Amino acid sequence: MLKTTLAAAAAASLFALGACGQTTTVESDSPSEDVGAAMEEAGDNIEEAADQAGDEIEEAGDNAADAVDDATDGNPNTNP
């Protein structure tokens, strides 16, 4: 009797466990396409950020050069 009860309990627990894992959603045809697209987008975002950082650094350098020129141009009205 105990073996039958344990076997029934084991079967019931397997069915319960199987029912829990049945919720699956598929948003696209291929997960690898999603990963590839996400990686490409991340690469594009990194490239854009690097370009913006380079532009900001270049502008800061130009501003520093302009400041040095303004400070040393021989004009008595220039405050270094």
Side-chain angles (χ1 to χ4, degrees):
M1 177 76 177
L2 182 60
K3 288 183 182 180
T4 307
T5 306
L6 288 176
S13 65
L14 286 177
F15 285 123
L17 183 61
C20 290
Q22 293 299 318
T23 55
T24 336
T25 57
V26 177
E27 294 181 9
S28 70
D29 293 337
S30 172
S32 62
E33 290 176 4
D34 289 342
V35 171
M39 290 177 63
E40 186 174 339
E41 183 178 345
D44 291 344
N45 291 342
I46 290 171
E47 181 179 5
E48 183 178 336
D51 288 343
Q52 289 176 351
D55 292 343
E56 293 293 327
I57 291 170
E58 184 177 352
E59 184 177 337
D62 291 343
N63 290 343
D66 290 343
V68 169
D69 287 342
D70 290 344
T72 59
D73 64 357
N75 184 348
N77 295 324
T78 304
N79 295 323

